[in-house]
Amino acid sequence: MQGKGLITLVAVILGLICLNELLPTWYAGKIERQATAISGDNPVKYQEEMARLSKDTLNLGFTKLYYSRAKEREMKLGLDLKGGINVLLEINQRDLVNDLTQYSTNPILLEALERTEKAQKTASGTYIDNFFKEFDAVNKEKGTNLKLADPELFGNTNLTEIKFNTSDEEVRNIIRRKINASEGAAYEVIRTRIDKMGVTQPNVQRVPGTGRISVEMPGSKDIDRVKKMLATSAKLQFWEVQTVQEVIPYLEQLSTIVPLKADSIGVAKNANLMNMLQLNSLRSSGVGNIKLSDTAAINKILNSKIAKDLRPANIKYTHFMWGYKPESTDPNNLVLYAIRGNINQKAPVDGAVESARVNYDELGRVVVDMQMDSKGSKEWKAMTAKNVNKSVAVTLDNVVYTAPNVVNEIPNGMTQISGNFSQEEAQDLVNVLGAGKLPASAKIVQADVVGPSLGQQSIDAGMLSFLIAFLVIVAYIIFYYGGAGVYAVIAMVINLFYIFGIMDSVDATLTLPGIAGIVLSMAMAVDTNVIIYERTKEELFAGKNILEAYKDGFKHALSAIIDGHSTTILTAIVLYIFGTGPIKGFAVTLVIGILMTFFTSVLLSRVMIFSRLNKGKGLSVWTPLTKNLFRNVWIDFIGKRKYAYMISAFLTVASIISIYVNGFKYGIDFTGGRNYVVKFDKPIDADKTEKDLIKMFATEDGKLSAVEAKTFGTGNQLKISTDYLINDESLKADQTIEQKLYDGLKSNLPAGLTLQQFKAADESHAGIISSTKVGPTVADDIQRGGMFAVIAALAGIFLYILIRFTKWQFSLGAVVGLAHDAIIILGVYSLLHKYMPFNMEINQDFIAAILTVLGYSINDTVIVFDRIREYLREKKSLTLAGLFDDSISSTLGRTFNTSFTTILVILAIFIFGGENLRGFMFALLLGIAFGTYSSIFVSSAIAYDFLKGKGKESEEKLHGRTSVDVEVIDKRTKK
């Protein structure tokens, strides 16, 4: 066999590389299992044993293994397997533009920025491109003919490369580069902060063109701490503080208006602003000492248009900011400060920190000492000199950490921040300041949190489904193909070893959808072997010896395998481009699996099989029970296509009606909102819980937010979704919702369970085991991405089929078949989402399932089309209908085996793979079933109907099953 030596060499080298990559994972796991076995459930003893065992090394000759290095190199597990947090940070690009214009107050600029903010909610382009578009529109409407290089815009001392005569196009390119550089700087700052937290195997990536940074931190448990560390800009600012006397006349006037305008403001009609301010209990330089429960109402009042329009000249630009946290002596109240602003909203002192350290003041309280840079030191000196005996606020991300009175001018840039810190909070602040400031503020627009207990459940469920699916495939393929099936299993085992090894070598993260991708890759490996062995059986039935039969079997199967693999890879690439998070992991795993399947099942399997055959040994390709299955089956599919059209038309119309009438249940990644999976220590009534929570999540003005509670997996788990505070993406909003959730569920939780315990459940207690947050803008992006992904997949498949088969009729048939499958699946989800005991949301996972279905459906269609293409060349005496019937009938064995094994695999994952994958797998089950049907009765039938219109069939041509027999008799007669 040509290339035998090269294939063997590649297989050995690839095996050694994968072994070298996987050994650290095995060794790290071995050490941890030994420590667990010795220490039991004692965490202190576990750490002691880990410290002792970590000193050991394992010398394998070609490499030495020791724990700390092995732990760094072990395979990355996603947070759905390990627990942890995944957040999507969005850098405020408006801040970046403001910084580049030196906070210009040019009205054209300000209006363009406001329009861009609104446009971003629906627009698909980048922020800066949308800003340029809006700027041009405003400039044209106002007739100002303002150039971007104008000194009031980007032609300032910040941007020396922009001159007065620089063209708008050149300015745009410069600004794009500056924005990109700022995003890169933000990425480096975030990565440095994470390194300081000591997180194992973090994954930090920029999301190109969006101003977003994706951060995955498996194993992280203190979610609030992580969010605070990531979203803090570290932009330390110093402001003058306005006194109560300056602000109180305005607040008193506003207090008389609030009850009259309560509805438009969004607060209760009996809201009393002056009572909420509690001025009699004020002991600081603030303007209010507000109950924590009243802070949301105060925000609504002060941020309302009515309040802003009412402001007198002396507080026109005032910022109302909250204190960092309640004082230890007053834990239920939060101080509100009035910060003196200015027209450009720029702080008097905005200095970077050169160094910071944790210290203690004269009363033993934890503080942070810091040294400013030279610019900040000069500004700080001037500000303190101006404000002796007055209060100055030290703020970080618009939160007041401290607001002390200035006693003397501070000339050297030294200052101290106090704020009722714990030791850990102070150290985190030092780490944030030490890592450098972000070039602009950042907010968390999407977050996924998975507790360690759910992560372990996912691992157990994933491994169980993987093992069952593997055993099912092994048993079936050996039962059906006998000795040849054994070689298929060997190739599949090697394939799995390569997949895990390559994933580890490219630093890919293994997720639960990734495990599903591996299992589906196993199904593809079976499909590849089925195609080869079915062709080999045909050659044996034609009278060839076993060696020639295998040679021709591999040869004739190659075209169909390449087409099938290519279309599936095309779908996986689309998934990777348009997907996020776990969907990308699924796509990466699928691509690696398909490539390795081709290498092991086509090339390596061929080497192994022919090594045996060339020694004169036989190799069965059937068993007595399966030898003649599908051999003599012939069905007049084309003659029955009109019945199939009627069935498909009925199902399609019914699906469209259901979609129109029932709609869908959209997941929060399509609508925005928050999801929580909560574990209880007893079975829980989902309907009653939902009613209780709806009351809990009512807004101040009495409006009810959308809340849904549904049993998730077992009877003692609920999945709770809400759109409460959907437009508030702050950490404070997250904490408010978690508090309300805790209060609403408290009667069903174990006695004595604290809020902190509730927020991070484990095996020992109830609480939140996972949560997801998706902001509205991200939800819009995901919707557009999903739509583009499906369109791109269909367009790509149409073009591929057109190029490979050179007839548009085949492309049309394939795409109509795929659209048919997608519409019916959507119809089923629309019809059953209220009744099924598992999640049937339309979300990112569903889009991934649809695209996977398209890949598998087209794979099946391609096999049939490949046989039609072959018969078009070889069976000139057949009618077109007869040729199509022969083609479909001759591939029935392959169609049945592939679909049957794939359905068995998906059923294994559906039943044993855990609640998170059930909706995904149900879509795949529907897809494989209808995909098999549509390949025969829709795609092939449509291709036939459009091809037959090209010319009239000759009456001398043969049709029907006898056509094959007549051809053979005719050839024998001529001989």
Side-chain angles (χ1 to χ4, degrees):
M1 175 194 161
Q2 290 182 338
K4 174 183 175 181
L6 178 62
I7 292 169
T8 304
L9 179 64
V10 170
V12 171
I13 293 173
L14 198 56
L16 291 174
I17 292 171
C18 292
L19 182 65
N20 183 61
E21 292 294 334
L22 292 172
L23 276 173
T25 301
W26 166 79
Y27 185 70
K30 173 178 172 288
I31 295 294
E32 289 167 0
R33 286 191 297 272
Q34 286 178 344
T36 302
I38 296 170
S39 62
D41 294 329
N42 188 328
V44 176
K45 192 172 182 183
Y46 176 81
Q47 293 299 330
E48 292 173 354
E49 289 301 322
M50 283 300 300
R52 181 179 66 82
L53 292 170
S54 296
K55 297 175 183 176
D56 295 340
T57 59
L58 180 62
N59 191 343
L60 297 175
F62 63 92
T63 186
K64 280 186 178 181
L65 295 171
Y66 53 96
Y67 178 76
S68 59
R69 177 63 178 150
K71 190 66 180 174
E72 290 175 6
R73 293 180 55 204
E74 74 174 346
M75 178 174 280
K76 287 184 178 179
L77 296 180
L79 53 137
D80 53 357
L81 294 178
K82 195 173 182 178
I85 179 170
N86 177 290
V87 300
L88 192 62
L89 279 169
E90 185 171 87
I91 306 300
N92 189 325
Q93 296 200 26
R94 179 170 181 165
D95 282 0
L96 295 178
V97 173
N98 277 330
D99 190 57
L100 291 172
T101 63
Q102 294 188 328
Y103 290 84
S104 169
T105 56
N106 182 283
I108 304 299
L109 172 72
L110 295 179
E111 186 170 343
L113 286 169
E114 287 299 324
R115 289 194 187 185
T116 307
E117 290 290 311
K118 294 175 182 176
Q120 277 299 104
K121 296 177 181 178
T122 54
S124 58
T126 64
Y127 181 94
I128 194 62
D129 285 339
N130 287 329
F131 164 74
F132 289 139
K133 189 187 300 180
E134 295 298 335
F135 175 81
D136 289 342
V138 176
N139 210 6
K140 186 176 180 181
E141 288 171 18
K142 305 290 185 184
T144 49
N145 199 28
L146 192 65
K147 289 191 63 175
L148 290 171
D150 190 283
E152 285 194 31
L153 299 180
F154 298 103
N156 55 60
T157 54
N158 263 4
L159 300 165
T160 54
E161 60 265 62
I162 296 177
K163 311 299 180 187
F164 73 94
N165 59 348
T166 305
S167 70
D168 279 359
E169 189 55 38
E170 288 176 289
V171 173
R172 288 189 184 98
N173 291 331
I174 291 169
I175 299 306
R176 288 190 186 101
R177 288 199 300 271
K178 290 286 185 181
I179 294 287
N180 189 58
S182 295
E183 290 172 4
Y187 166 79
E188 293 298 335
V189 169
I190 293 296
R191 198 172 64 174
T192 303
R193 289 183 189 177
I194 291 168
D195 289 342
K196 287 178 177 290
M197 292 180 72
V199 178
T200 305
Q201 293 186 324
N203 183 19
V204 187
Q205 293 180 331
R206 289 179 65 182
V207 183
T210 63
R212 293 170 181 165
I213 299 170
S214 172
V215 180
E216 186 168 290
M217 305 173 71
S220 296
K221 297 178 182 179
D222 192 343
I223 304 309
D224 286 349
R225 181 188 174 212
V226 169
K227 288 180 178 178
K228 196 179 295 180
M229 282 284 286
L230 295 180
T232 299
S233 72
K235 196 170 186 178
L236 202 64
Q237 296 178 321
F238 297 80
W239 300 85
E240 294 179 1
V241 177
Q242 292 182 269
T243 63
V244 174
Q245 288 73 24
E246 289 179 86
V247 180
I248 198 69
Y250 162 70
L251 295 175
E252 288 176 340
Q253 185 181 3
L254 181 60
S255 182
T256 61
I257 294 174
V258 169
L260 304 175
K261 303 289 185 179
D263 288 341
S264 59
I265 293 173
V267 296
K269 290 185 177 180
N270 60 352
N272 189 312
L273 177 60
M274 297 309 294
N275 286 347
M276 286 190 283
L277 292 173
Q278 300 189 101
L279 296 177
N280 59 332
S281 65
L282 193 62
R283 295 189 301 275
S284 68
S285 53
V287 295
N289 188 40
I290 290 97
K291 290 180 182 178
L292 293 175
S293 58
D294 289 335
T295 55
I298 292 289
N299 280 335
K300 285 187 176 182
I301 292 169
L302 294 177
N303 293 326
S304 67
K305 185 177 185 303
I306 294 166
K308 290 178 180 178
D309 291 343
L310 191 66
R311 287 189 178 194
N314 71 317
I315 61 167
K316 184 176 181 181
Y317 302 111
T318 295
H319 303 281
F320 287 99
M321 295 187 190
W322 294 103
Y324 165 63
K325 63 189 291 190
E327 292 292 329
S328 56
T329 55
D330 195 8
N332 297 316
N333 291 340
L334 200 59
V335 176
L336 179 70
Y337 294 87
I339 304 301
R340 194 183 307 281
N342 47 58
I343 190 170
N344 61 11
Q345 301 299 325
K346 198 174 187 319
V349 180
D350 191 353
V353 177
E354 282 192 347
S355 62
R357 64 189 180 92
V358 178
N359 206 343
Y360 300 90
D361 64 11
E362 62 276 5
L363 298 177
R365 296 173 300 190
V366 179
V367 295
V368 173
D369 285 338
M370 63 178 192
Q371 172 66 52
M372 295 183 188
D373 61 14
S374 58
K375 178 177 178 288
S377 296
K378 290 176 185 176
E379 292 173 344
W380 183 227
K381 179 182 177 181
M383 186 177 182
T384 52
K386 179 183 175 184
N387 288 278
V388 173
N389 296 324
K390 296 178 182 176
S391 294
V392 172
V394 182
T395 70
L396 192 68
D397 294 345
N398 296 321
V399 172
V400 178
Y401 274 69
T402 184
N405 277 332
V406 177
V407 178
N408 297 302
E409 174 190 294
I410 302 175
N412 56 6
M414 287 289 294
T415 191
Q416 188 178 84
I417 308 175
S418 59
N420 190 23
F421 294 125
S422 68
Q423 184 76 30
E424 185 180 74
E425 287 172 332
Q427 188 58 56
D428 283 348
L429 180 57
V430 167
N431 289 342
V432 165
L433 295 173
K437 67 178 180 179
L438 290 173
S441 60
K443 61 181 179 180
I444 293 174
V445 292
Q446 183 177 356
D448 296 298
V449 180
V450 179
S453 59
L454 187 61
Q456 189 58 50
Q457 288 176 26
S458 297
I459 292 175
D460 295 342
M463 292 307 296
L464 179 62
S465 68
F466 179 85
L467 182 62
I468 291 173
F470 181 76
L471 292 176
V472 165
I473 288 176
V474 168
Y476 185 82
I477 202 166
I478 292 177
F479 158 76
Y480 202 92
Y481 292 109
V486 174
Y487 278 86
V489 170
I490 293 170
M492 190 165 61
V493 171
I494 296 172
N495 184 24
L496 289 173
F497 176 67
Y498 285 164
I499 291 172
F500 282 109
I502 290 172
M503 284 188 68
D504 204 2
S505 67
V506 300
D507 216 23
T509 301
L510 182 63
T511 61
L512 197 57
I515 290 178
I518 292 172
V519 175
L520 290 171
S521 295
M522 289 164 49
M524 284 292 291
V526 171
D527 180 40
T528 301
N529 286 291
V530 165
I531 295 170
I532 293 168
Y533 296 157
E534 288 298 317
R535 288 307 300 247
T536 302
K537 285 167 71 174
E538 290 178 24
E539 304 302 330
L540 285 170
F541 289 139
K544 294 179 182 178
N545 64 51
I546 192 162
L547 185 60
E548 289 299 317
Y550 269 104
K551 282 182 180 178
D552 287 345
F554 273 95
K555 177 183 174 183
H556 292 141
L558 187 61
S559 175
I561 291 170
I562 290 174
D563 286 335
H565 281 46
S566 297
T567 49
T568 306
I569 285 178
L570 179 66
T571 307
I573 290 172
V574 171
L575 272 175
Y576 183 81
I577 293 171
F578 292 99
T580 57
I583 304 305
K584 282 185 183 288
F586 174 80
V588 169
T589 307
L590 196 56
V591 169
I592 293 172
I594 291 166
L595 293 175
M596 288 302 99
T597 291
F598 185 84
F599 178 75
T600 55
S601 297
V602 177
L603 302 178
L604 192 58
S605 179
R606 182 184 176 98
V607 169
M608 292 189 293
I609 287 173
F610 281 98
S611 294
R612 177 183 178 88
L613 295 176
N614 288 332
K615 293 175 183 176
K617 298 179 181 178
L619 185 64
S620 64
V621 76
W622 54 57
T623 62
L625 290 174
T626 61
K627 179 178 180 180
N628 292 311
L629 282 179
F630 300 106
R631 181 183 175 187
N632 297 311
V633 174
W634 190 95
I635 300 171
D636 184 12
F637 290 105
I638 296 302
K640 297 178 172 60
R641 71 188 186 285
K642 292 180 181 177
Y643 299 108
Y645 283 162
M646 286 190 286
I647 293 170
S648 292
F650 172 77
L651 291 174
T652 302
V653 171
S655 296
I656 292 171
I657 291 172
S658 177
I659 292 168
Y660 179 76
V661 173
N662 298 315
F664 297 111
K665 180 176 183 283
Y666 290 104
I668 66 161
D669 44 5
F670 270 33
T671 61
R674 292 170 174 85
N675 270 344
Y676 299 90
V677 177
V678 183
K679 180 180 76 173
F680 299 85
D681 59 351
K682 59 186 178 183
I684 191 83
D685 186 335
D687 292 336
K688 182 179 182 302
T689 303
E690 182 178 305
K691 291 175 184 176
D692 293 341
L693 288 175
I694 287 173
K695 298 173 187 174
M696 182 62 63
F697 284 102
T699 58
E700 283 84 356
D701 57 349
K703 292 180 181 176
L704 300 179
S705 301
V707 179
E708 181 187 67
K710 193 170 183 178
T711 301
F712 187 79
T714 59
N716 68 329
Q717 287 185 171
L718 290 181
K719 184 175 185 179
I720 299 166
S721 306
T722 180
D723 64 356
Y724 183 71
L725 297 183
I726 186 173
N727 292 308
D728 190 343
E729 293 159 346
S730 66
L731 174 60
K732 189 175 179 181
D734 295 341
Q735 293 170 335
T736 299
I737 292 172
E738 288 162 352
Q739 179 71 55
K740 285 182 175 289
L741 195 61
Y742 171 71
D743 293 339
L745 298 174
K746 200 167 186 178
S747 60
N748 294 303
L749 296 171
L753 186 76
T754 65
L755 173 62
Q756 206 58 37
Q757 290 173 324
F758 171 75
K759 288 165 67 172
D762 57 28
E763 292 83 356
S764 61
H765 64 76
I768 298 171
I769 55 178
S770 80
S771 66
T772 305
K773 177 179 81 171
V774 180
T777 54
V778 175
D780 289 340
D781 292 347
I782 291 170
Q783 280 192 50
R784 283 195 297 270
M787 181 178 67
F788 290 151
V790 174
I791 293 171
L794 290 172
I797 288 168
F798 182 91
L799 289 173
Y800 183 85
I801 299 295
L802 183 62
I803 292 167
R804 286 290 290 163
F805 292 89
T806 68
K807 295 182 187 295
W808 63 266
Q809 291 89 346
F810 286 119
S811 291
L812 179 64
V815 170
V816 170
L818 297 179
H820 164 275
D821 301 339
I823 290 170
I824 291 176
I825 295 171
L826 286 167
V828 172
Y829 266 62
S830 171
L831 188 64
L832 300 180
H833 70 80
K834 296 177 183 176
Y835 310 107
M836 284 295 190
F838 52 86
N839 178 33
M840 291 187 75
E841 293 178 348
I842 304 297
N843 53 22
Q844 287 187 89
D845 291 347
F846 179 80
I847 296 297
I850 287 288
L851 290 170
T852 306
V853 164
L854 298 185
Y856 275 87
S857 181
I858 196 62
N859 189 33
D860 197 27
T861 302
V862 161
I863 300 302
V864 176
F865 284 1
D866 186 75
R867 187 60 61 91
I868 293 170
R869 177 175 56 185
E870 181 184 332
Y871 282 5
L872 281 170
R873 292 193 302 264
E874 297 177 359
K875 297 195 173 188
K876 304 292 186 182
S877 61
L878 288 180
T879 62
L880 189 62
L883 187 144
F884 266 70
D885 285 336
D886 275 14
S887 300
I888 299 169
S889 297
S890 65
T891 56
L892 277 180
R894 178 265 167 201
T895 300
F896 172 80
N897 280 319
T898 299
S899 299
F900 183 65
T901 52
T902 304
I903 285 173
L904 286 178
V905 166
I906 294 171
L907 270 175
I909 305 174
F910 178 78
I911 296 169
F912 302 103
E915 186 67 27
N916 284 334
L917 283 177
R918 288 219 168 89
F920 181 83
M921 287 299 145
F922 185 70
L924 290 188
L925 276 174
L926 292 173
I928 299 302
F930 283 108
T932 303
Y933 163 84
S934 68
S935 296
I936 296 170
F937 291 104
V938 178
S939 299
S940 298
I942 285 176
Y944 166 78
D945 276 327
F946 280 89
L947 277 169
K948 75 172 184 177
K950 293 179 69 178
K952 190 177 180 181
E953 294 273 22
S954 170
E955 294 180 2
E956 297 177 0
K957 288 196 172 186
L958 304 168
H959 176 74
R961 181 174 182 177
T962 54
S963 62
V964 182
D965 301 327
V966 172
E967 266 196 334
V968 173
I969 293 168
D970 205 27
K971 288 178 181 177
R972 287 175 181 169
T973 305
K974 288 178 181 177
K975 288 181 180 178

